[in-house]
Amino acid sequence: KDERMQWWREARFGMFIHWGVYSQWGGVYKGHEQARGGAEWIMNRCKIPVAEYQERARGFNPVNYNADEWVRTARDAGMKYIVITAKHHDGFAMFKSEASPFNIADWTTYGKDVLKPLADACRKYGIKLGFYYSQAQDWNNPGGTVARKKMKEGWPNPDSTRIDTYTKAHKGHWDPRQEEATFEQYIDRVAIPQVRELLTNYGDIAVLWWDTPVGMTDETALKLQELLKLQPQIITNDRLKRPNFPGDTGTPEQKIPGAEELDGRDWETCMTMNHTWGYRTSDTDWKSAETLIRNLVDIASKGGNYLLNIGPKPDGTFPVASVERLKTIGKWMDTNGEA
Ligand code: JFZ
């Protein structure tokens, strides 16, 4: 175990990437700002109908995506690994998948897998690659919705009372198409084959980053965990299912634990540079480079890792403010970071 964890323990600094078709909305639905939560939640917060969400997803066309440049940007900032959303809660796969047509290669104008070039660039520059996979929440593939968020917290839709009532009566679902399969069927038909694809088609995968284990049972978790044998060296976080599947690493979110909270387990603080994981046009409240460097030092001194998020734009580029901060961090690393 120690040997497997070694690169991760030495890494200190990684890049989280939240990118998907949700970035096209940028936190705005029909002219209304999504009221709360990360912009990657817009489908759920605003209760966008499945057909409507899928229609807009067709137009996803990140023509300026340049994986080589992304990886160089991470490397130059002193980051040692990247974790990208292969599939977030909206169920859109950023990779070619046989398990669901709702994937970038088969569904969109763009028509290509974006994880392949990223895997190639990571190999080229010696950066480790991990996949975030939302195993328990999938709002587009039937059976994958275990939502709880109320409409009223999001877009002030005049029809919100009716939609709230519907969602309540339908265990969080807001569209009948979400109920065309059971959760177990979703796990067997989509989650398991897709995780297998991710662990088979992209070479060595360093990290599997599960998320929001709502609705998971020990049985469903066990099936997913078994797949990790495809990548014996892989490191996983603690969000597959609680409490019986602790994984390798704890995931304090948006906060740095105090020294007295540390229990000897490996941990990684994931954090946004502004207030959203997915790209949001209105969120310009960026942490300063100085704050980010202080956070990195604080985390490294306590033995943790810092997974700092980027929310790329729908065209495939990083927000300028994020790149500026990474450059400043890189300069600081050149003089102060360890080799
Ligand atoms: C989850 C996602 O819902 C979110 O969109 C983003 O991907 C983030 C990294 O993870 O959100 C969470 C998950 C866990 C906690 C809070 C938000 N938590 O443990 O406090």
Side-chain angles (χ1 to χ4, degrees):
K1 172 166 186 189
D2 276 342
E3 210 184 313
R4 190 171 52 94
M5 293 303 295
Q6 197 186 342
W7 76 264
W8 194 91
R9 288 178 180 152
E10 290 167 359
R12 299 301 188 212
F13 197 22
M15 178 183 280
F16 214 177
I17 300 178
H18 277 73
W19 194 39
V21 294
Y22 44 80
S23 63
Q24 293 185 113
W25 280 266
V28 181
Y29 180 53
K30 296 193 171 172
H32 295 272
E33 277 289 329
Q34 180 189 333
R36 290 179 52 193
E40 71 285 358
W41 271 79
I42 195 156
M43 180 180 179
N44 189 314
R45 292 286 185 177
C46 297
K47 298 294 177 281
I48 301 175
V50 167
E52 189 183 328
Y53 194 86
Q54 295 192 354
E55 189 49 41
R56 187 153 183 200
R58 293 244 183 238
F60 189 59
N61 194 18
V63 290
N64 295 322
Y65 172 59
N66 181 335
D68 204 88
E69 197 178 320
W70 279 19
V71 177
R72 274 185 282 115
T73 302
R75 180 201 60 180
D76 292 348
M79 292 165 154
K80 300 293 196 288
Y81 64 111
I82 293 176
V83 178
I84 185 168
T85 49
K87 189 196 83 172
H88 204 265
H89 307 329
D90 69 349
F92 183 80
M94 297 294 276
F95 54 100
K96 163 78 180 167
S97 175
E98 303 298 332
S100 166
F102 198 47
N103 74 76
I104 189 164
D106 294 324
W107 197 266
T108 69
T109 326
Y110 190 65
K112 294 186 287 268
D113 188 317
V114 289
L115 302 187
K116 266 254 156 68
L118 190 64
D120 292 343
C122 282
R123 240 186 315 278
K124 177 172 164 190
Y125 294 109
I127 298 293
K128 302 267 187 190
L129 178 64
F131 291 141
Y132 168 112
Y133 187 85
S134 175
Q135 80 281 14
Q137 287 203 76
D138 185 319
W139 306 321
N140 274 287
N141 290 298
T145 301
V146 201
R148 304 131 298 162
K149 300 288 189 284
K150 282 200 193 114
M151 173 94 204
K152 288 201 181 96
E153 296 173 351
W155 179 46
N157 188 327
D159 204 19
S160 64
T161 305
R162 187 194 63 76
I163 295 171
D164 272 351
T165 309
Y166 182 94
T167 327
K168 219 175 189 168
H170 291 259
K171 295 190 188 144
H173 303 86
W174 60 91
D175 188 314
R177 286 178 58 180
Q178 296 168 321
E179 294 183 90
E180 284 168 4
T182 65
F183 182 68
E184 281 68 30
Q185 284 171 332
Y186 150 76
I187 290 284
D188 290 337
R189 294 172 186 174
V190 180
I192 289 177
Q194 286 195 334
V195 171
R196 189 180 291 116
E197 288 171 335
L198 289 169
L199 299 182
T200 307
N201 299 340
Y202 302 90
D204 284 358
I205 298 306
V207 173
L208 201 317
W209 219 96
W210 308 109
D211 204 7
T212 62
V214 51
M216 292 291 290
T217 61
D218 282 356
E219 289 68 35
T220 51
L222 206 57
K223 287 193 215 174
L224 287 163
Q225 183 162 270
E226 280 292 299
L227 294 169
L228 300 176
K229 289 179 182 157
L230 291 163
Q231 298 268 347
Q233 79 295 335
I234 205 164
I235 291 168
T236 60
N237 71 356
D238 60 352
R239 295 186 185 184
L240 176 57
K241 172 175 192 298
R242 295 191 168 115
N244 296 341
F245 296 80
D248 302 303
T249 64
T251 52
E253 176 156 329
Q254 301 283 30
K255 66 175 177 38
I256 301 172
E260 72 289 349
E261 293 174 73
L262 302 175
D263 58 3
R265 264 178 68 80
D266 290 293
W267 58 280
E268 173 190 68
T269 285
C270 56
M271 197 184 280
T272 51
M273 286 194 196
N274 50 1
H275 301 275
T276 178
W277 299 97
Y279 175 65
R280 179 162 194 159
T281 46
S282 67
D283 190 344
T284 54
D285 186 25
W286 302 94
K287 296 177 181 77
S288 68
E290 192 191 321
T291 297
L292 299 173
I293 291 166
R294 276 182 203 285
N295 288 344
L296 178 58
V297 170
D298 187 10
I299 289 166
S301 75
K302 290 171 180 159
N305 280 0
Y306 196 21
L307 189 62
L308 187 57
N309 185 68
I310 305 283
K313 300 202 269 187
D315 74 347
T317 60
F318 288 174
V320 171
S322 300
V323 176
E324 285 170 355
R325 278 153 187 78
L326 291 180
K327 282 198 175 129
T328 307
I329 297 171
K331 277 198 198 111
W332 182 87
M333 287 289 240
D334 285 343
T335 36
N336 302 284
E338 333 137 284

